[in-house]
Amino acid sequence: MRTKSATRRQAILDSAAKVFQDTGYERASMSDICEQLGCSKATLYSYFPSKEQLFFEVVLSASEDEFQATHNALDPSIEDITEALETFGQRFLDFIYSPRVQAVRRLVMSEAGRGDLGRRCYDQGPLRSEAEVTQFLQTAMSAGKLRQADPKVAALQLRGLLEAEWIDRFIFHLFDKPSADEVSQTVKRSVATFMAAYGPTQQGA
């Protein structure tokens, strides 16, 4: 059960997320967030010492549970590496192209140049994801499920393949969310291309 303090903290994050999405980081103020929530500035600052810290926490709270669930799909016990990668790819695209995470990503992209905000968001998002996928691929390579290669490069290329069909449309706001069938077909094509490059039959190439 949440404590009263935890409940209040989540209410602040929810209100701040709405203000940031409605007005953008630069135009949003702590006063706006207080008004949205109906609390005093003293209360707000007792939980978050600055607008930047609050924004960073909004980003994390919007995606942390889904991030963990997505990367838990990287199960090294699954013998069929194609199946394992397709399961991960499906969850990964569902995650990053969900309306909520799209909104957060766009906020981060628009505000990342301010102070060390971009570095902090990168470290907690893409870099952390890269590390988990790299470890999974390294284990698969050691088990002979993939050919030996630089697992970090392979992780980056896998992500690139998964996003290749959607990233431009995301950047230019040309869709809300791919359909389930579109995601499934994208994942199959992406993993097939990845396995053509990194499958164990390529060992002697």
Side-chain angles (χ1 to χ4, degrees):
M1 175 180 282
R2 277 185 177 176
T3 65
K4 189 173 181 179
S5 178
T7 299
R8 170 62 75 172
R9 186 178 190 277
Q10 187 58 54
I12 292 172
L13 290 171
D14 292 342
S15 295
K18 186 177 189 314
V19 171
F20 286 136
Q21 289 172 18
D22 288 347
T23 66
Y25 176 86
E26 180 64 22
R27 291 169 56 197
S29 69
M30 297 294 260
S31 295
D32 294 332
I33 295 165
C34 288
E35 183 177 347
Q36 174 73 27
L37 181 61
C39 74
S40 68
K41 281 189 177 182
T43 297
L44 180 57
Y45 279 106
S46 71
Y47 283 87
F48 300 99
S50 68
K51 185 172 76 168
E52 181 175 294
Q53 181 63 34
L54 178 52
F55 180 81
F56 180 69
E57 293 294 333
V58 164
V59 171
L60 287 186
S61 69
S63 59
E64 184 60 24
D65 288 347
E66 294 91 339
F67 179 96
Q68 292 293 343
T70 296
H71 292 82
N72 285 343
L74 292 167
D75 185 353
S77 69
I78 297 176
E79 285 302 317
D80 187 337
I81 186 66
T82 297
E83 176 188 346
L85 291 174
E86 287 182 350
T87 299
F88 167 71
Q90 181 80 39
R91 294 190 183 181
F92 177 74
L93 290 183
D94 284 341
F95 167 56
I96 65 171
Y97 289 119
S98 66
R100 186 179 187 188
V101 174
Q102 282 193 68
V104 169
R105 290 177 75 193
R106 287 187 172 120
L107 270 175
V108 170
M109 288 167 63
S110 67
E111 307 299 339
R114 302 182 187 282
D116 67 345
L117 186 62
R119 167 57 65 181
R120 294 174 69 189
C121 291
Y122 172 74
D123 287 349
Q124 290 298 313
L127 188 63
R128 191 156 55 113
S129 175
E130 176 192 310
E132 296 208 25
V133 178
T134 296
Q135 181 58 53
F136 174 79
L137 296 179
Q138 177 65 75
T139 300
M141 290 173 185
S142 298
K145 297 176 184 178
L146 297 171
R147 70 175 178 85
Q148 290 297 317
D150 185 329
K152 179 177 179 179
V153 171
L156 292 170
Q157 291 180 342
L158 176 62
R159 180 190 175 104
L161 287 167
L162 289 168
E163 285 213 73
E165 297 179 23
W166 302 106
I167 188 64
D168 285 345
R169 275 177 277 182
F170 164 70
I171 291 172
F172 292 101
H173 296 249
L174 297 180
F175 70 92
D176 293 322
K177 181 182 179 181
S179 71
D181 183 62
E182 288 173 324
V183 169
S184 177
Q185 294 305 312
T186 292
V187 169
K188 287 183 182 299
R189 287 189 291 266
S190 301
V191 172
T193 301
F194 182 83
M195 290 303 295
Y198 287 100
T201 58
Q202 298 296 314
Q203 185 68 46

Short mmCIF file of all heavy atoms in Angstrom, two decimals, residues 87-135:
data_model
loop_
_atom_site.label_atom_id
_atom_site.label_comp_id
_atom_site.label_asym_id
_atom_site.label_seq_id
_atom_site.Cartn_x
_atom_site.Cartn_y
_atom_site.Cartn_z
N THR A 87 10.03 -11.85 -29.82
CA THR A 87 9.26 -11.51 -28.63
C THR A 87 9.72 -10.17 -28.07
O THR A 87 8.91 -9.29 -27.73
CB THR A 87 9.41 -12.60 -27.55
OG1 THR A 87 8.89 -13.83 -28.06
CG2 THR A 87 8.65 -12.22 -26.29
N PHE A 88 11.03 -9.99 -27.99
CA PHE A 88 11.57 -8.72 -27.51
C PHE A 88 11.18 -7.59 -28.46
O PHE A 88 10.74 -6.52 -28.02
CB PHE A 88 13.08 -8.78 -27.39
CG PHE A 88 13.72 -7.43 -27.21
CD1 PHE A 88 13.59 -6.73 -26.03
CD2 PHE A 88 14.43 -6.85 -28.26
CE1 PHE A 88 14.14 -5.46 -25.87
CE2 PHE A 88 15.00 -5.59 -28.11
CZ PHE A 88 14.86 -4.90 -26.91
N GLY A 89 11.36 -7.81 -29.76
CA GLY A 89 11.06 -6.77 -30.74
C GLY A 89 9.62 -6.31 -30.68
O GLY A 89 9.33 -5.11 -30.77
N GLN A 90 8.72 -7.25 -30.50
CA GLN A 90 7.30 -6.92 -30.39
C GLN A 90 7.05 -6.03 -29.18
O GLN A 90 6.38 -5.00 -29.27
CB GLN A 90 6.48 -8.21 -30.27
CG GLN A 90 4.99 -8.02 -30.18
CD GLN A 90 4.34 -7.78 -31.54
OE1 GLN A 90 4.74 -8.40 -32.52
NE2 GLN A 90 3.36 -6.90 -31.59
N ARG A 91 7.60 -6.41 -28.05
CA ARG A 91 7.39 -5.63 -26.82
C ARG A 91 8.09 -4.28 -26.91
O ARG A 91 7.57 -3.27 -26.41
CB ARG A 91 7.87 -6.42 -25.61
CG ARG A 91 7.04 -7.66 -25.36
CD ARG A 91 7.39 -8.30 -24.03
NE ARG A 91 6.65 -9.54 -23.83
CZ ARG A 91 6.73 -10.29 -22.76
NH1 ARG A 91 7.54 -9.95 -21.75
NH2 ARG A 91 6.03 -11.40 -22.65
N PHE A 92 9.27 -4.27 -27.55
CA PHE A 92 10.03 -3.03 -27.67
C PHE A 92 9.26 -2.00 -28.50
O PHE A 92 9.12 -0.83 -28.08
CB PHE A 92 11.38 -3.33 -28.32
CG PHE A 92 12.23 -2.12 -28.56
CD1 PHE A 92 12.87 -1.48 -27.50
CD2 PHE A 92 12.40 -1.61 -29.84
CE1 PHE A 92 13.67 -0.36 -27.72
CE2 PHE A 92 13.20 -0.50 -30.06
CZ PHE A 92 13.82 0.14 -29.00
N LEU A 93 8.74 -2.41 -29.66
CA LEU A 93 8.00 -1.46 -30.49
C LEU A 93 6.68 -1.05 -29.86
O LEU A 93 6.27 0.11 -29.95
CB LEU A 93 7.78 -2.04 -31.89
CG LEU A 93 9.03 -2.17 -32.77
CD1 LEU A 93 8.66 -2.69 -34.16
CD2 LEU A 93 9.78 -0.84 -32.89
N ASP A 94 6.00 -2.00 -29.22
CA ASP A 94 4.77 -1.64 -28.51
C ASP A 94 5.06 -0.60 -27.43
O ASP A 94 4.25 0.30 -27.19
CB ASP A 94 4.16 -2.89 -27.85
CG ASP A 94 3.44 -3.79 -28.85
OD1 ASP A 94 3.11 -3.31 -29.95
OD2 ASP A 94 3.23 -4.97 -28.52
N PHE A 95 6.21 -0.74 -26.79
CA PHE A 95 6.62 0.17 -25.72
C PHE A 95 6.95 1.56 -26.26
O PHE A 95 6.34 2.56 -25.86
CB PHE A 95 7.80 -0.43 -24.98
CG PHE A 95 8.53 0.51 -24.06
CD1 PHE A 95 7.85 1.17 -23.05
CD2 PHE A 95 9.90 0.72 -24.19
CE1 PHE A 95 8.52 2.03 -22.18
CE2 PHE A 95 10.56 1.57 -23.34
CZ PHE A 95 9.89 2.23 -22.33
N ILE A 96 7.89 1.65 -27.17
CA ILE A 96 8.37 2.98 -27.58
C ILE A 96 7.37 3.74 -28.45
O ILE A 96 7.45 4.96 -28.54
CB ILE A 96 9.74 2.92 -28.28
CG1 ILE A 96 9.67 2.15 -29.59
CG2 ILE A 96 10.80 2.34 -27.37
CD1 ILE A 96 10.93 2.25 -30.41
N TYR A 97 6.41 3.00 -29.07
CA TYR A 97 5.41 3.68 -29.87
C TYR A 97 4.03 3.71 -29.22
O TYR A 97 3.04 3.99 -29.88
CB TYR A 97 5.37 3.09 -31.28
CG TYR A 97 6.59 3.46 -32.08
CD1 TYR A 97 7.46 2.49 -32.58
CD2 TYR A 97 6.93 4.80 -32.27
CE1 TYR A 97 8.62 2.84 -33.26
CE2 TYR A 97 8.08 5.15 -32.96
CZ TYR A 97 8.91 4.18 -33.46
OH TYR A 97 10.06 4.54 -34.13
N SER A 98 3.98 3.43 -27.92
CA SER A 98 2.74 3.67 -27.19
C SER A 98 2.55 5.18 -27.10
O SER A 98 3.53 5.94 -27.06
CB SER A 98 2.82 3.06 -25.79
OG SER A 98 3.79 3.72 -25.00
N PRO A 99 1.30 5.65 -27.11
CA PRO A 99 1.07 7.11 -27.08
C PRO A 99 1.78 7.81 -25.93
O PRO A 99 2.34 8.90 -26.10
CB PRO A 99 -0.46 7.21 -26.96
CG PRO A 99 -0.95 5.97 -27.63
CD PRO A 99 0.05 4.90 -27.26
N ARG A 100 1.78 7.19 -24.75
CA ARG A 100 2.39 7.83 -23.58
C ARG A 100 3.89 7.98 -23.75
O ARG A 100 4.45 9.05 -23.48
CB ARG A 100 2.07 7.02 -22.33
CG ARG A 100 2.54 7.69 -21.05
CD ARG A 100 2.19 6.85 -19.84
NE ARG A 100 2.49 7.55 -18.60
CZ ARG A 100 2.41 6.99 -17.41
NH1 ARG A 100 2.02 5.75 -17.28
NH2 ARG A 100 2.71 7.69 -16.33
N VAL A 101 4.55 6.92 -24.21
CA VAL A 101 6.01 6.99 -24.35
C VAL A 101 6.39 7.88 -25.54
O VAL A 101 7.40 8.59 -25.50
CB VAL A 101 6.60 5.58 -24.47
CG1 VAL A 101 8.10 5.64 -24.77
CG2 VAL A 101 6.37 4.81 -23.17
N GLN A 102 5.59 7.87 -26.60
CA GLN A 102 5.85 8.80 -27.70
C GLN A 102 5.85 10.24 -27.19
O GLN A 102 6.71 11.04 -27.56
CB GLN A 102 4.80 8.64 -28.79
CG GLN A 102 4.99 7.44 -29.70
CD GLN A 102 4.10 7.54 -30.92
OE1 GLN A 102 4.30 8.41 -31.77
NE2 GLN A 102 3.12 6.67 -31.01
N ALA A 103 4.86 10.58 -26.37
CA ALA A 103 4.78 11.94 -25.85
C ALA A 103 6.00 12.29 -25.02
O ALA A 103 6.57 13.38 -25.14
CB ALA A 103 3.51 12.10 -25.02
N VAL A 104 6.44 11.35 -24.20
CA VAL A 104 7.62 11.58 -23.36
C VAL A 104 8.87 11.72 -24.23
O VAL A 104 9.71 12.60 -24.01
CB VAL A 104 7.79 10.43 -22.35
CG1 VAL A 104 9.15 10.51 -21.67
CG2 VAL A 104 6.69 10.50 -21.29
N ARG A 105 9.01 10.86 -25.23
CA ARG A 105 10.19 10.93 -26.11
C ARG A 105 10.25 12.28 -26.82
O ARG A 105 11.33 12.87 -26.97
CB ARG A 105 10.17 9.80 -27.14
CG ARG A 105 10.40 8.41 -26.57
CD ARG A 105 10.29 7.35 -27.65
NE ARG A 105 11.47 7.33 -28.52
CZ ARG A 105 11.51 6.68 -29.69
NH1 ARG A 105 10.45 6.05 -30.15
NH2 ARG A 105 12.62 6.68 -30.40
N ARG A 106 9.12 12.77 -27.26
CA ARG A 106 9.10 14.05 -27.95
C ARG A 106 9.46 15.19 -27.00
O ARG A 106 10.17 16.13 -27.38
CB ARG A 106 7.74 14.27 -28.60
CG ARG A 106 7.53 13.39 -29.82
CD ARG A 106 6.25 13.72 -30.57
NE ARG A 106 6.19 12.97 -31.81
CZ ARG A 106 5.24 12.10 -32.14
NH1 ARG A 106 4.24 11.88 -31.29
NH2 ARG A 106 5.27 11.47 -33.29
N LEU A 107 8.98 15.11 -25.78
CA LEU A 107 9.37 16.12 -24.79
C LEU A 107 10.87 16.10 -24.57
O LEU A 107 11.52 17.15 -24.55
CB LEU A 107 8.66 15.84 -23.46
CG LEU A 107 7.29 16.47 -23.23
CD1 LEU A 107 6.70 15.98 -21.92
CD2 LEU A 107 7.39 17.99 -23.23
N VAL A 108 11.43 14.90 -24.42
CA VAL A 108 12.87 14.78 -24.18
C VAL A 108 13.65 15.31 -25.37
O VAL A 108 14.64 16.05 -25.23
CB VAL A 108 13.25 13.32 -23.88
CG1 VAL A 108 14.77 13.14 -23.87
CG2 VAL A 108 12.66 12.87 -22.55
N MET A 109 13.22 14.96 -26.59
CA MET A 109 13.92 15.41 -27.79
C MET A 109 13.92 16.93 -27.90
O MET A 109 14.91 17.54 -28.32
CB MET A 109 13.26 14.79 -29.04
CG MET A 109 13.54 13.31 -29.20
SD MET A 109 12.47 12.52 -30.43
CE MET A 109 12.97 13.39 -31.92
N SER A 110 12.82 17.57 -27.49
CA SER A 110 12.73 19.02 -27.61
C SER A 110 13.51 19.75 -26.52
O SER A 110 13.90 20.91 -26.70
CB SER A 110 11.26 19.46 -27.58
OG SER A 110 10.68 19.20 -26.31
N GLU A 111 13.75 19.08 -25.41
CA GLU A 111 14.38 19.76 -24.27
C GLU A 111 15.76 19.21 -23.91
O GLU A 111 16.37 19.67 -22.95
CB GLU A 111 13.47 19.64 -23.03
CG GLU A 111 12.04 20.08 -23.25
CD GLU A 111 11.92 21.54 -23.64
OE1 GLU A 111 12.86 22.31 -23.38
OE2 GLU A 111 10.89 21.91 -24.23
N ALA A 112 16.26 18.24 -24.66
CA ALA A 112 17.47 17.52 -24.26
C ALA A 112 18.72 18.40 -24.20
O ALA A 112 19.68 18.06 -23.52
CB ALA A 112 17.71 16.34 -25.20
N GLY A 113 18.73 19.52 -24.91
CA GLY A 113 19.92 20.36 -24.91
C GLY A 113 20.07 21.24 -23.69
O GLY A 113 21.05 21.98 -23.58
N ARG A 114 19.15 21.16 -22.75
CA ARG A 114 19.19 22.04 -21.59
C ARG A 114 19.98 21.38 -20.45
O ARG A 114 19.58 20.35 -19.93
CB ARG A 114 17.77 22.35 -21.12
CG ARG A 114 16.95 23.00 -22.22
CD ARG A 114 15.56 23.34 -21.74
NE ARG A 114 14.76 23.80 -22.86
CZ ARG A 114 14.82 25.01 -23.40
NH1 ARG A 114 15.66 25.89 -22.90
NH2 ARG A 114 14.06 25.34 -24.43
N GLY A 115 21.10 21.96 -20.10
CA GLY A 115 21.93 21.44 -19.01
C GLY A 115 22.34 20.00 -19.28
O GLY A 115 22.71 19.63 -20.40
N ASP A 116 22.26 19.17 -18.24
CA ASP A 116 22.64 17.78 -18.41
C ASP A 116 21.42 16.88 -18.54
O ASP A 116 21.50 15.67 -18.38
CB ASP A 116 23.51 17.31 -17.24
CG ASP A 116 22.73 17.26 -15.92
OD1 ASP A 116 21.63 17.83 -15.85
OD2 ASP A 116 23.23 16.62 -14.97
N LEU A 117 20.27 17.50 -18.86
CA LEU A 117 19.03 16.73 -18.96
C LEU A 117 19.12 15.65 -20.03
O LEU A 117 18.69 14.51 -19.81
CB LEU A 117 17.87 17.68 -19.27
CG LEU A 117 16.48 17.07 -19.27
CD1 LEU A 117 16.13 16.51 -17.90
CD2 LEU A 117 15.44 18.11 -19.70
N GLY A 118 19.67 15.99 -21.19
CA GLY A 118 19.79 15.01 -22.26
C GLY A 118 20.64 13.83 -21.85
O GLY A 118 20.28 12.67 -22.09
N ARG A 119 21.76 14.09 -21.21
CA ARG A 119 22.64 13.01 -20.76
C ARG A 119 21.94 12.12 -19.74
O ARG A 119 22.03 10.89 -19.82
CB ARG A 119 23.91 13.60 -20.16
CG ARG A 119 24.79 12.63 -19.37
CD ARG A 119 25.22 11.42 -20.20
NE ARG A 119 26.08 11.80 -21.30
CZ ARG A 119 26.58 10.93 -22.18
NH1 ARG A 119 26.30 9.65 -22.06
NH2 ARG A 119 27.35 11.35 -23.15
N ARG A 120 21.24 12.70 -18.81
CA ARG A 120 20.57 11.91 -17.78
C ARG A 120 19.48 11.03 -18.38
O ARG A 120 19.34 9.85 -18.03
CB ARG A 120 19.98 12.83 -16.71
CG ARG A 120 21.04 13.60 -15.92
CD ARG A 120 20.40 14.60 -14.99
NE ARG A 120 19.69 13.94 -13.90
CZ ARG A 120 18.90 14.58 -13.05
NH1 ARG A 120 18.72 15.88 -13.17
NH2 ARG A 120 18.31 13.92 -12.08
N CYS A 121 18.70 11.59 -19.30
CA CYS A 121 17.64 10.80 -19.93
C CYS A 121 18.22 9.71 -20.82
O CYS A 121 17.70 8.59 -20.87
CB CYS A 121 16.72 11.72 -20.74
SG CYS A 121 15.72 12.84 -19.73
N TYR A 122 19.31 10.04 -21.52
CA TYR A 122 19.97 9.04 -22.36
C TYR A 122 20.52 7.89 -21.52
O TYR A 122 20.35 6.72 -21.86
CB TYR A 122 21.10 9.71 -23.14
CG TYR A 122 21.98 8.74 -23.90
CD1 TYR A 122 21.54 8.12 -25.06
CD2 TYR A 122 23.27 8.45 -23.45
CE1 TYR A 122 22.35 7.22 -25.75
CE2 TYR A 122 24.09 7.56 -24.13
CZ TYR A 122 23.62 6.95 -25.28
OH TYR A 122 24.43 6.06 -25.96
N ASP A 123 21.15 8.23 -20.41
CA ASP A 123 21.73 7.19 -19.55
C ASP A 123 20.66 6.25 -19.00
O ASP A 123 20.87 5.04 -18.90
CB ASP A 123 22.48 7.83 -18.38
CG ASP A 123 23.80 8.47 -18.81
OD1 ASP A 123 24.23 8.24 -19.95
OD2 ASP A 123 24.37 9.22 -17.99
N GLN A 124 19.51 6.80 -18.64
CA GLN A 124 18.46 5.99 -18.03
C GLN A 124 17.58 5.28 -19.04
O GLN A 124 16.86 4.35 -18.69
CB GLN A 124 17.58 6.87 -17.13
CG GLN A 124 18.28 7.33 -15.87
CD GLN A 124 18.69 6.15 -15.00
OE1 GLN A 124 17.92 5.24 -14.74
NE2 GLN A 124 19.93 6.17 -14.53
N GLY A 125 17.64 5.71 -20.31
CA GLY A 125 16.80 5.10 -21.34
C GLY A 125 17.60 4.32 -22.36
O GLY A 125 17.87 3.12 -22.16
N PRO A 126 18.00 4.95 -23.47
CA PRO A 126 18.69 4.23 -24.53
C PRO A 126 19.96 3.50 -24.08
O PRO A 126 20.20 2.37 -24.49
CB PRO A 126 19.02 5.33 -25.54
CG PRO A 126 17.96 6.34 -25.33
CD PRO A 126 17.68 6.34 -23.85
N LEU A 127 20.77 4.14 -23.25
CA LEU A 127 22.03 3.51 -22.85
C LEU A 127 21.77 2.27 -21.99
O LEU A 127 22.44 1.24 -22.14
CB LEU A 127 22.91 4.50 -22.10
CG LEU A 127 24.34 4.02 -21.80
CD1 LEU A 127 25.10 3.76 -23.09
CD2 LEU A 127 25.09 5.04 -20.95
N ARG A 128 20.81 2.37 -21.10
CA ARG A 128 20.48 1.22 -20.25
C ARG A 128 19.89 0.08 -21.08
O ARG A 128 20.20 -1.08 -20.87
CB ARG A 128 19.49 1.67 -19.16
CG ARG A 128 19.26 0.65 -18.06
CD ARG A 128 18.78 1.32 -16.78
NE ARG A 128 17.59 2.12 -16.99
CZ ARG A 128 16.40 1.83 -16.48
NH1 ARG A 128 16.24 0.75 -15.73
NH2 ARG A 128 15.37 2.61 -16.68
N SER A 129 19.05 0.42 -22.06
CA SER A 129 18.48 -0.58 -22.95
C SER A 129 19.59 -1.25 -23.76
O SER A 129 19.62 -2.48 -23.88
CB SER A 129 17.47 0.07 -23.90
OG SER A 129 16.99 -0.86 -24.84
N GLU A 130 20.49 -0.43 -24.27
CA GLU A 130 21.61 -0.96 -25.05
C GLU A 130 22.42 -1.96 -24.23
O GLU A 130 22.82 -3.02 -24.73
CB GLU A 130 22.50 0.20 -25.50
CG GLU A 130 23.76 -0.20 -26.23
CD GLU A 130 24.70 0.98 -26.39
OE1 GLU A 130 24.25 2.05 -26.83
OE2 GLU A 130 25.90 0.84 -26.04
N ALA A 131 22.67 -1.66 -22.96
CA ALA A 131 23.46 -2.54 -22.12
C ALA A 131 22.76 -3.89 -21.92
O ALA A 131 23.39 -4.95 -21.95
CB ALA A 131 23.72 -1.89 -20.77
N GLU A 132 21.43 -3.86 -21.73
CA GLU A 132 20.71 -5.11 -21.50
C GLU A 132 20.66 -5.96 -22.76
O GLU A 132 20.81 -7.18 -22.71
CB GLU A 132 19.29 -4.80 -21.00
CG GLU A 132 19.29 -4.11 -19.64
CD GLU A 132 18.03 -4.41 -18.84
OE1 GLU A 132 17.40 -5.45 -19.07
OE2 GLU A 132 17.71 -3.58 -17.98
N VAL A 133 20.43 -5.33 -23.91
CA VAL A 133 20.41 -6.08 -25.17
C VAL A 133 21.80 -6.61 -25.50
O VAL A 133 21.96 -7.74 -25.96
CB VAL A 133 19.86 -5.21 -26.32
CG1 VAL A 133 19.88 -5.99 -27.63
CG2 VAL A 133 18.44 -4.74 -26.02
N THR A 134 22.83 -5.80 -25.24
CA THR A 134 24.20 -6.24 -25.47
C THR A 134 24.53 -7.49 -24.66
O THR A 134 25.12 -8.45 -25.19
CB THR A 134 25.19 -5.11 -25.11
OG1 THR A 134 24.98 -3.99 -25.98
CG2 THR A 134 26.64 -5.58 -25.25
N GLN A 135 24.14 -7.49 -23.40
CA GLN A 135 24.40 -8.65 -22.55
C GLN A 135 23.68 -9.89 -23.06
O GLN A 135 24.24 -11.00 -23.10
CB GLN A 135 23.96 -8.36 -21.11
CG GLN A 135 24.21 -9.50 -20.13
CD GLN A 135 25.68 -9.90 -20.06
OE1 GLN A 135 26.54 -9.05 -19.84
NE2 GLN A 135 25.97 -11.18 -20.27
#
